[in-house]
């Protein structure tokens, strides 16, 4: 591998010497990693859908949604719907204030664990993950991938290889690509692409479904660890990050109080329910005002355990958590929410523009809000994309991209709050927040 300390370095071969700058050497390092992963992971015949090698591990540090692929030749979108309130579920606790009203809902516990309890929780968590959280998460992902039907597993492997390569060469000029990438490597990738397309066509698989394979398995594997870690710190982020989430949640809740409000908020990529306390603190009056959806059933299970017991004293209903694909799930019609919030989630979805289109259809008329927030900012998401394009297909939209999307799709939206540009001083102060308001 090439690890130069200086800005540029001469690379000598038996036949010639070339000079590479730092960016080019970084590209070669990434290309080498992709090449070696491909060489070690695939013992696949071009004429067979049987896998003969383990699936390479997938990075497990991201949050949201999926649909199980049991029979890819006839995929059925069978959602797992978890009613955490309203149908006589066990453990229901009625509010003392049956009339409801602002402040009638108690804020879910956000108390930090004492040192002894925190130590015990950490020890138990490590035991559940075999003594090492990182390795334990990877082992869980690996086991899930190996459980797939052979043709889906092969398609997932090929999808990962092709996606990594495409992301690698995307910023290259044609000249750089011809200079830096051996023809044999390009040919291997094109062969993989043809095989992938053949499998997808034969079994009626889509890129969205393959993307969701990695999303679902990653979040299922990490759900227990993420939820427990959040419990230990009282479900609070660093103060500056928490302020950014609080601001976004306040906007989401304000939409439920304006003229024509329905009293409903949708949290897309809800995970283990991380923003529920922030929404309650922002003034969400009743539990049944909240609906959360996530691709990971394990994440949703953790959300229900933590935030599923509370009930509206008048209706007897509580928060609704759904384990399903946001893009395919039927929420019961258009205009059924006052606000839709994507908190550290939009970049994980397989099609960003289609996701915004669906969110637009789900919010009510004038005054409905679509809120996209990421406390760590757009630059952080770009870093995730560069590190793992399989999980994060692109960065968050800039103000210019939002404006173009709104115009191209003729959405009746106005960009009420423009996000900060990556690496800007404003991003350092605010993170990423985009607010679209229906007009």
């Amino acid at each position: 591998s090439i690890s130069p300390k200086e800005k540029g370095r001469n690379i000598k071969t038996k036949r010639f010497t070339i000079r590479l700058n730092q960016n080019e050497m970084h590209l070669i390092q990434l290309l080498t990693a992709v090449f070696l992963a491909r060489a070690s992971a695939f013992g696949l015949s071009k004429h067979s859908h049987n896998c003969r090698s383990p699936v390479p591990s997938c990075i497990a540090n991201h949050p949201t949604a999926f649909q199980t692929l049991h029979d890819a030749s006839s995929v059925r979108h069978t959602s797992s719907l978890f009613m955490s309130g309203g149908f006589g579920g066990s453990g229901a606790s009625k509010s003392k204030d049956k009339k409801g009203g602002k402040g009638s809902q108690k804020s879910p516990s956000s108390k930090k664990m004492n040192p002894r309890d925190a130590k015990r929780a950490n020890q138990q968590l490590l035991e559940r993950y075999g003594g090492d959280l990182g390795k334990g998460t990877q082992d869980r992902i690996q086991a899930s991938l190996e459980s797939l039907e052979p043709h889906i597993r092969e398609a997932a492997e090929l999808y990962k290889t092709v996606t990594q390569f495409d992301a690698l060469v995307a910023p290259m000029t044609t000249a750089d690509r011809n200079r830096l990438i051996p023809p044999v490597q390009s040919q291997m990738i094109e062969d993989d692409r043809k095989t992938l397309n053949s499998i997808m066509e034969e079994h009626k698989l889509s890129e969205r479904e393959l993307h969701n394979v990695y999303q679902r398995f990653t979040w299922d594997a990490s759900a227990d660890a993420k939820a427990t870690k959040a419990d230990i710190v009282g479900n609070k982020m660093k103060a500056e990050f928490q302020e950014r989430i609080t601001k976004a949640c306040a906007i989401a809740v304000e939409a439920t109080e304006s003229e024509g409000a329905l009293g409903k908020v949708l949290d897309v990529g809800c995970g283990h329910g991380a923003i529920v306390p922030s929404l309650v603190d922002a003034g969400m009056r009743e539990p049944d005002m909240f609906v959360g959806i996530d691709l990971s059933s394990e994440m949703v299970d953790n959300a229900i355990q933590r935030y599923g017991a509370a009930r509206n004293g008048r209706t007897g209903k509580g928060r609704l958590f759904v384990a399903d694909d946001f893009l395919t799930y039927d929420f019961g019609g258009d205009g059924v929410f006052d606000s839709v919030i994507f908190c550290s989630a939009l970049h994980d979805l397989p099609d960003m523009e289609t996701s915004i289109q669906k969110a637009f259809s789900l919010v009510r008329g004038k005054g409905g809000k679509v809120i996209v927030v990421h406390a760590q900012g757009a630059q952080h998401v770009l870093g995730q994309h560069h590190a793992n394009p399989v999980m994060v297909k692109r960065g968050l939209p800039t103000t210019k991209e939002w404006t173009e999307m709104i115009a191209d799709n003729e959405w009746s939206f106005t960009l009420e709050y423009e996000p900060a540009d990556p690496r800007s001083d404003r991003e350092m102060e605010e993170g990423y927040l985009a607010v679209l308001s229906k007009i």
Side-chain angles (χ1 to χ4, degrees):
S1 63
I2 304 169
S3 303
K5 293 182 180 179
E6 62 273 16
K7 184 176 181 180
R9 180 175 175 178
N10 289 327
I11 307 298
K12 293 186 178 181
T13 70
K14 292 182 179 180
R15 295 187 179 181
F16 57 88
T17 300
I18 59 175
R19 184 170 180 81
L20 303 176
N21 61 35
Q22 193 171 23
N23 289 335
E24 290 171 335
M25 287 185 286
H26 178 62
L27 286 172
I28 286 181
Q29 287 176 313
L30 291 175
L31 181 61
T32 301
V34 171
F35 182 85
L36 292 176
R38 182 193 186 283
S40 63
F42 294 104
L44 306 175
S45 167
K46 296 179 182 179
H47 308 291
S48 170
H49 292 169
N50 293 322
C51 297
R52 295 179 296 191
S53 301
V55 180
S57 295
C58 142
I59 297 175
N61 60 342
H62 307 265
T64 152
F66 168 135
Q67 190 81 17
T68 305
L69 298 175
H70 289 298
D71 181 0
S73 63
S74 57
V75 176
R76 294 287 182 263
H77 296 289
T78 306
S79 66
S80 297
L81 182 62
F82 294 84
M83 294 291 185
S84 56
F87 290 89
S90 61
S93 58
K94 291 187 177 181
S95 168
K96 292 182 180 179
D97 183 359
K98 294 188 177 183
K99 293 182 180 180
K102 189 166 184 175
S104 66
Q105 181 187 179
K106 292 182 179 180
S107 178
S109 176
S110 57
K111 186 178 179 181
K112 184 178 179 180
M113 285 188 187
N114 64 51
R116 187 175 67 177
D117 288 344
K119 182 178 180 180
R120 184 186 302 114
N122 263 320
Q123 289 175 338
Q124 292 172 345
L125 179 62
L126 282 172
E127 289 173 4
R128 295 196 295 274
Y129 278 78
D132 185 307
L133 287 182
K135 184 177 182 301
T137 300
Q138 296 290 353
D139 289 345
R140 291 182 179 195
I141 295 171
Q142 181 76 12
S144 295
L145 288 167
E146 291 176 350
S147 72
L148 291 170
E149 294 181 54
H151 63 278
I152 303 177
R153 180 178 171 187
E154 181 178 0
E157 290 175 334
L158 292 167
Y159 172 77
K160 181 177 181 180
T161 299
V162 169
T163 300
Q164 288 175 327
F165 181 83
D166 288 346
L168 175 67
V169 302
M172 293 185 187
T173 65
T174 302
D176 283 343
R177 181 169 177 170
N178 292 337
R179 183 166 65 96
L180 295 172
I181 300 177
V184 65
Q185 176 68 7
S186 294
Q187 186 57 54
M188 290 167 68
I189 292 295
E190 290 312 307
D191 290 344
D192 286 345
R193 197 187 307 276
K194 289 178 182 178
T195 303
L196 173 60
N197 290 337
S198 176
I199 298 172
M200 290 172 66
E201 182 177 355
E202 179 181 351
H203 296 280
K204 295 180 174 59
L205 286 168
S206 67
E207 282 192 22
R208 180 185 298 176
E209 289 162 342
L210 294 176
H211 171 88
N212 283 349
V213 165
Y214 287 103
Q215 282 287 337
R216 181 202 172 199
F217 289 164
T218 297
W219 297 119
D220 276 356
S222 60
D224 187 11
K226 287 183 174 295
T228 301
K229 289 291 186 181
D231 291 342
I232 290 171
V233 298
N235 202 41
K236 293 291 185 182
M237 304 176 73
K238 288 174 58 178
E240 61 186 291
F241 294 160
Q242 185 60 52
E243 287 176 8
R244 297 166 187 177
I245 301 301
T246 299
K247 179 179 180 179
C249 288
I251 295 170
V253 172
E254 284 172 9
T256 69
E257 300 169 345
S258 61
E259 185 179 353
L262 305 167
K264 288 288 185 181
V265 174
L266 174 64
D267 177 10
V268 181
C270 64
H272 55 81
I275 69 169
V276 169
S278 296
L279 289 167
V280 173
D281 289 343
M284 181 176 281
R285 298 184 303 276
E286 297 291 352
D288 57 354
M289 295 173 69
F290 175 90
V291 178
I293 186 168
D294 199 291
L295 199 54
S296 167
S297 59
E298 293 294 327
M299 281 289 189
V300 167
D301 283 345
N302 276 279
I304 292 171
Q305 291 170 22
R306 286 156 178 80
Y307 306 111
R311 297 291 187 273
N312 181 323
R314 291 180 294 106
T315 67
K317 296 180 180 179
R319 300 183 185 96
L320 176 64
F321 293 97
V322 182
D324 208 330
D325 185 344
F326 168 68
L327 289 174
T328 60
Y329 183 73
D330 182 2
F331 289 91
D334 294 340
V336 292
F337 295 99
D338 298 302
S339 57
V340 174
I341 183 168
F342 298 85
C343 182
S344 301
L346 181 61
H347 58 285
D348 283 316
L349 296 176
D351 187 329
M352 192 173 289
E353 193 163 325
T354 302
S355 300
I356 294 299
Q357 175 69 62
K358 178 153 187 179
F360 171 75
S361 72
L362 289 172
V363 295
R364 62 178 169 85
K366 186 177 180 181
K369 309 282 187 187
V370 174
I371 302 144
V372 182
V373 60
H374 197 294
Q376 291 165 285
Q379 184 58 36
H380 178 82
V381 175
L382 284 174
Q384 290 182 315
H385 166 65
H386 293 146
N388 192 355
V390 176
M391 289 284 286
V392 182
K393 297 185 73 172
R394 55 155 291 170
L396 293 169
T398 63
T399 295
K400 180 181 178 183
E401 288 172 326
W402 277 120
T403 303
E404 291 172 350
M405 268 195 287
I406 292 170
D408 291 346
N409 292 281
E410 298 182 346
W411 291 334
S412 299
F413 265 135
T414 180
L415 187 57
E416 185 176 291
Y417 195 91
E418 298 179 355
D421 291 328
R423 292 188 176 180
S424 65
D425 291 341
R426 185 172 157 231
E427 185 191 46
M428 292 292 290
E429 296 175 0
E430 299 182 6
Y432 184 96
L433 176 63
V435 181
L436 293 89
S437 185
K438 215 167 189 179
I439 55 177

